[in-house]
């Protein structure tokens, strides 16, 4: 049994990761300041004697004894990370420094949940790990994009200078149960609008593409990466590409909604294409996604229906 710290453990991805680690027989210390996370996501885990919740902001040092650290702490949706951009940047940078300092002291492995946003609005498609990206450093999304890029820099500097064993995964669009219903991301937006028979809002013409990975697939590859000898960065996501317009039509079909589709102007710095090259994940982790979009959407719609 390992004692494992999951920062951001009450969030969408974090709660699923806590669940998986408990299933593997480990003790889990879930740390979250509940800015975007929720106790509802971990309520079913609290009775487990191997689970502990600690409300804490990783912008401040954390003094605990653990064997491994997963850093998933940071608002990930534009609505949430843009509502307090300075705090978002602090969480990415100061949070990384504090957890890396802890990993250095404890001589333990640490995973960084990086993001496809480090590629910005890419000029290379699909995106490979060697691509340095096309990121606006002063735009409304920069607090998140540049925060995550700086966090990667810190991770690799701690690895080179202090020999901290790091694992860095660049997470692409992920969806599934326990997504925040008002996070402003395309899957949750479309499902909530469809369930309420409201117009589905498409930004631009809907010709921009996204690649959607179901949460169970993503947790599996995070687990494999942490337990491998691969430092990263490594792309983790689903390489199957969908038009946003096609996603809207599929959500309407599965929900039997009467919602119309409306088109509004594209937000600033919104990427036109987003698709991971997962060759490294296939080669080094023997992983590729298994859950098809239709199947994953059905489970996600069932979850949101219970909220509505």
């Amino acid at each position: 049994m390992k004692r494992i710290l999951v920062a951001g453990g009450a969030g969408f991805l974090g709660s699923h990761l806590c669940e998986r680690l408990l299933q593997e027989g480990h003790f889990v210390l879930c740390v979250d300041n509940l800015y975007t996370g929720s106790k509802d996501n971990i309520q079913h885990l609290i009775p487990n004697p191997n689970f502990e919740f600690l409300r804490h902001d990783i912008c401040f040092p954390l003094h605990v004894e653990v064997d491994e650290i997963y850093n998933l702490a940071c608002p990930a949706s534009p609505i949430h990370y843009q509502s307090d951009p300075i705090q978002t940047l602090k969480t990415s940078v100061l949070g990384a420094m504090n957890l890396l300092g802890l990993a250095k002291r404890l001589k333990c492995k640490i995973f960084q949940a990086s993001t496809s946003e480090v590629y910005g609005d890419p000029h290379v498609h699909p995106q490979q790990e060697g691509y340095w990206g096309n990121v606006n450093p002063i735009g409304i999304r920069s607090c998140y994009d540049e925060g995550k890029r700086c966090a990667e820099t810190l991770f690799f500097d701690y690895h080179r200078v202090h020999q901290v064993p790091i694992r860095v995964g660049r997470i692409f669009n992920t969806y599934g149960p326990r997504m925040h219903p008002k996070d402003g991301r395309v899957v949750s937006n479309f499902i909530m609008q469809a369930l309420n028979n409201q117009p589905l809002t498409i930004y631009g013409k809907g010709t921009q593409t996204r690649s959607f990975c179901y949460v169970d697939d993503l947790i599996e590859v995070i687990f494999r990466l942490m337990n491998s000898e691969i430092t990263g960065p490594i792309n983790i996501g689903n390489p199957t590409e969908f038009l946003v317009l096609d996603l809207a039509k599929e959500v309407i079909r599965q929900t039997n909604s009467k919602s119309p589709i409306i088109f509004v102007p594209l937000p600033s710095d919104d990427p036109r294409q987003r698709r991971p090259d997962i060759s490294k994940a296939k080669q080094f982790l023997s992983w590729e996604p298994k859950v098809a979009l239709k199947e994953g959407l059905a489970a996600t719609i069932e979850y949101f229906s219970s909220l509505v």
Side-chain angles (χ1 to χ4, degrees), residues 122 124-128 131 172 235 239 241 274-278:
V124 172
H125 190 77
Q127 291 81 59
Q128 297 179 324
Y131 176 52
F172 281 68
N235 289 336
E241 202 170 2
R274 188 58 62 71
R275 176 188 165 199
D277 182 321
I278 62 167

Side-chain angles (χ1 to χ4, degrees), residues 278-290:
I278 62 167
S279 302
K280 287 187 176 181
K282 287 182 179 180
Q283 179 182 353
F284 298 117
L285 303 175
S286 301
W287 174 87
E288 59 184 318
K290 295 180 179 178

Side-chain angles (χ1 to χ4, degrees), residues 8-293:
F12 163 46
L13 295 181
S15 62
H16 284 277
L17 179 60
C18 288
E19 208 168 56
R20 173 63 185 272
L21 295 172
L22 288 169
Q23 290 169 0
E24 295 290 332
H26 300 301
F27 183 94
V28 174
L29 174 60
C30 170
V31 174
D32 205 301
N33 67 353
L34 302 181
Y35 177 61
T36 56
S38 169
K39 276 194 173 180
D40 290 341
N41 291 337
I42 55 170
Q43 198 65 45
H44 64 297
L45 303 179
I46 290 175
N48 191 320
N50 291 333
F51 181 80
E52 181 181 348
F53 173 70
L54 174 64
R55 186 165 184 172
H56 179 82
D57 186 338
I58 62 164
C59 290
F60 301 93
L62 184 61
H63 303 288
V64 294
E65 301 296 319
V66 292
D67 302 305
E68 287 182 355
I69 301 169
Y70 289 82
N71 181 24
L72 283 75
C74 188
S77 74
I79 282 180
H80 291 143
Y81 69 64
Q82 290 172 19
S83 68
D84 192 346
I86 296 172
Q87 184 62 31
T88 296
L89 193 64
K90 283 182 176 181
T91 302
S92 288
V93 178
L94 297 180
M97 290 179 70
N98 287 327
L99 293 181
L100 283 163
L102 180 63
K104 175 190 169 187
R105 178 176 71 81
L106 298 174
K107 297 181 173 58
C108 71
K109 276 192 296 188
I110 179 169
F111 169 83
Q112 166 66 2
S114 191
T115 174
S116 59
E117 299 296 341
V118 300
Y119 299 121
D121 188 4
H123 293 157
V124 172
H125 190 77
Q127 291 81 59
Q128 297 179 324
E129 291 87 348
Y131 176 52
W132 291 355
N134 175 43
V135 177
N136 178 358
I138 58 170
I140 59 173
R141 300 170 69 104
S142 306
C143 58
Y144 185 71
D145 301 1
E146 295 288 27
K148 289 289 191 177
R149 285 165 68 95
C150 183
E152 283 197 17
T153 301
L154 284 166
F155 266 71
F156 279 88
D157 283 339
Y158 267 78
H159 177 62
R160 283 185 287 259
V161 176
H162 300 298
Q163 292 74 56
V164 173
I166 64 168
R167 305 289 184 267
V168 177
R170 291 176 175 166
I171 299 173
F172 281 68
N173 287 61
T174 307
Y175 70 101
R178 296 185 211 143
M179 291 183 78
H180 196 293
K182 296 181 180 179
D183 67 5
R185 285 185 275 194
V186 64
V187 172
S188 51
N189 265 6
F190 284 173
I191 293 176
M192 291 301 291
Q193 288 169 342
L195 290 173
N196 289 294
N197 288 309
Q198 298 171 343
L200 268 65
T201 306
I202 289 184
Y203 296 96
K205 297 179 180 178
T207 54
Q208 66 269 44
T209 64
R210 294 293 183 269
S211 304
F212 303 103
C213 186
Y214 189 63
V215 62
D216 290 356
D217 284 332
L218 192 88
I219 296 303
E220 175 64 27
V221 70
I222 288 176
F223 183 78
R224 291 191 190 191
L225 176 56
M226 187 60 144
N227 291 283
S228 74
E229 298 302 317
I230 307 302
T231 297
I234 192 164
N235 289 336
I236 49 179
N238 194 319
T240 305
E241 202 170 2
F242 291 91
L243 293 175
V244 169
L245 180 57
D246 289 341
L247 173 69
K249 292 176 179 177
E250 179 62 22
V251 168
I252 289 173
R253 187 189 71 80
Q254 288 204 25
T255 56
N256 295 313
S257 176
K258 299 184 179 359
S259 298
I261 293 174
I262 61 172
F263 299 87
V264 298
L266 203 63
S268 176
D269 298 328
D270 192 62
R272 292 160 294 176
Q273 290 181 305
R274 188 58 62 71
R275 176 188 165 199
D277 182 321
I278 62 167
S279 302
K280 287 187 176 181
K282 287 182 179 180
Q283 179 182 353
F284 298 117
L285 303 175
S286 301
W287 174 87
E288 59 184 318
K290 295 180 179 178
V291 180
L293 181 63

